[in-house]
Amino acid sequence: MAKFLSNWLSRSVKAVCSPVTRIVTALSVTQLIGWGTTFWLPAVSGPAMARELDIPLSMAMAGPTVMLVVMAFMSWPLSVILERYGARPAMAVGSVFGSTGLLAMGLAQGPFSYFLSWTILGLAGSGMLTTPAQIAVAEAADKITARKALGVLILAGGLTSSIMWPLTGLLQVGWGWRITSLVYAALMIVICAPLHWLVLPSARGRNSATKSSNAPAHIDRRSFALLAITFAANGFFTWGFALTIIILFEAGGLDHASAVMAAAFIGIAQWAGRLVDFLGGRRWSGFVPGLTAAALFPLSFMILLVTSSFNGAIVFAVLYGLASGITAVTRATLPLQIFPTDAYARASARLSAPLNLSFAVAPPVFAAIMTSCGPHAALWLAFGFSIFAFCTFLGLSVRHRGMGELTR
């Protein structure tokens, strides 16, 4: 028994002290701060920003859209830098840009300076949010370990709004949104930048190996196109449909309290969905949970199309949330399986371009459709895009050796 406990303790200490664990822990902190102080900030501070800057609320809420568009356009050129020099310098510099953007936001006096701050935050996001973080994990681990580590990172990211929204609310009540922005700018410099520079591995060894090769690793164009189309279509209806969920519940006959309660199950189910790959990822190919999630989306929408009861809304929320959570992990891990390890950074960065564009376009498109044609028109649009995303993902899975590879 003593020997068993000694061996278990030794393995546990090694796991806790391993480079991958340190990297995932550091990135979990910086991603929580990064997303919570930028993209999710107007969810709490938007009305106060609009009042003080004398702009419409819709204009204040368009700031994150500007950020996503800039991130999308920066993804392609940044892919070369990430592949050649690794994630460490990009994320450290991105932290500095993030601090600069939040400083500019705290000092903004009108629409021009406000959107300038979001443009700077878009440059920051392309260098330090999600994709570079996932690349940093992939650089430090083999494929099997990286897949599990990415699952942990995405699980931690699911806590962003739960932690940062209350914190933003408290800071804003005490000091106002401008001081809150300045405090968050300081967090970027004091916490995020040092963690990115000191904890993430240097890419010197990998650079020498890359330079010695005659050509960069090959990315299969058809697989890339199918994956990019699938992720973009999925991102379009998930980010766009999120605006109409409560309204759809109410349009179906639920009172506001019941609609909010049903919608709350989505977040719980998303967390459970993110756990699926973490708990069982080593047992199956990444195509298995990805196909399951792609099938659950249209099934969930069909439930809303045929029923308007509270129980039906709960079933929808559970299926939709599970699919959303699984898909969040699939977006990070599937490129590890499809593309060569040396091409993961380039492929992931380039995949984020259409994904961020779909994220940026979806909310105004769905809002316009909901306003002009009604909530159920938005539901039918989401259903159609979910069918399309399932078909493209199925085509990708068939291209990769059919069902034989899916159950390896």
Side-chain angles (χ1 to χ4, degrees), residues 11-79:
R11 289 195 301 269
S12 300
V13 170
K14 288 181 179 179
V16 170
C17 297
S18 71
V20 175
T21 300
R22 291 197 299 270
I23 290 170
V24 171
T25 302
L27 290 176
S28 296
V29 172
T30 63
Q31 293 302 288
L32 187 148
I33 294 174
W35 280 109
T37 62
T38 59
F39 181 86
W40 294 112
L41 184 61
V44 178
S45 301
M49 291 174 173
R51 285 193 302 270
E52 190 164 338
L53 295 175
D54 195 23
I55 59 177
L57 179 59
S58 59
M59 184 178 290
M61 301 304 287
T65 298
V66 173
M67 174 182 167
L68 290 173
V69 170
V70 174
M71 288 175 63
F73 281 104
M74 286 299 299
S75 297
W76 204 273
L78 193 62
S79 66

Side-chain angles (χ1 to χ4, degrees), residues 85-180:
Y85 300 107
R88 181 191 183 200
M91 298 195 75
V93 172
S95 304
V96 176
F97 272 95
S99 180
T100 304
L102 287 166
L103 176 62
M105 182 180 297
L107 300 176
Q109 297 300 318
F112 177 80
S113 52
Y114 178 71
F115 284 114
L116 176 62
S117 70
W118 282 106
T119 302
I120 299 172
L121 290 176
L123 296 173
S126 63
M128 68 167 285
L129 294 179
T130 302
T131 298
Q134 294 168 358
I135 291 171
V137 171
E139 287 174 348
D142 56 65
K143 283 192 173 184
I144 295 177
T145 305
R147 181 173 173 180
K148 190 169 184 177
L150 287 170
V152 174
L153 183 62
I154 293 168
L155 274 173
L159 298 173
T160 299
S161 59
S162 300
I163 294 174
M164 296 304 296
W165 280 351
L167 176 61
T168 300
L170 288 173
L171 291 174
Q172 184 170 307
V173 168
W175 295 333
W177 69 270
R178 291 186 183 276
I179 299 299
T180 299

Side-chain angles (χ1 to χ4, degrees), residues 300-366:
S300 68
F301 294 139
M302 286 177 62
I303 290 173
L304 280 189
L305 289 170
V306 300
T307 181
S308 58
S309 67
F310 177 74
N311 290 335
I314 294 295
V315 173
F316 159 80
V318 170
L319 295 179
Y320 179 86
L322 284 172
S324 298
I326 294 170
T327 300
V329 180
T330 301
R331 280 199 293 260
T333 59
L334 196 59
L336 277 172
Q337 181 175 333
I338 293 178
F339 306 116
T341 303
D342 292 342
Y344 178 77
R346 181 164 27 110
S348 295
R350 293 181 178 181
L351 282 169
S352 67
L355 185 61
N356 282 325
L357 279 178
S358 69
F359 287 169
V361 171
V365 170
F366 269 77

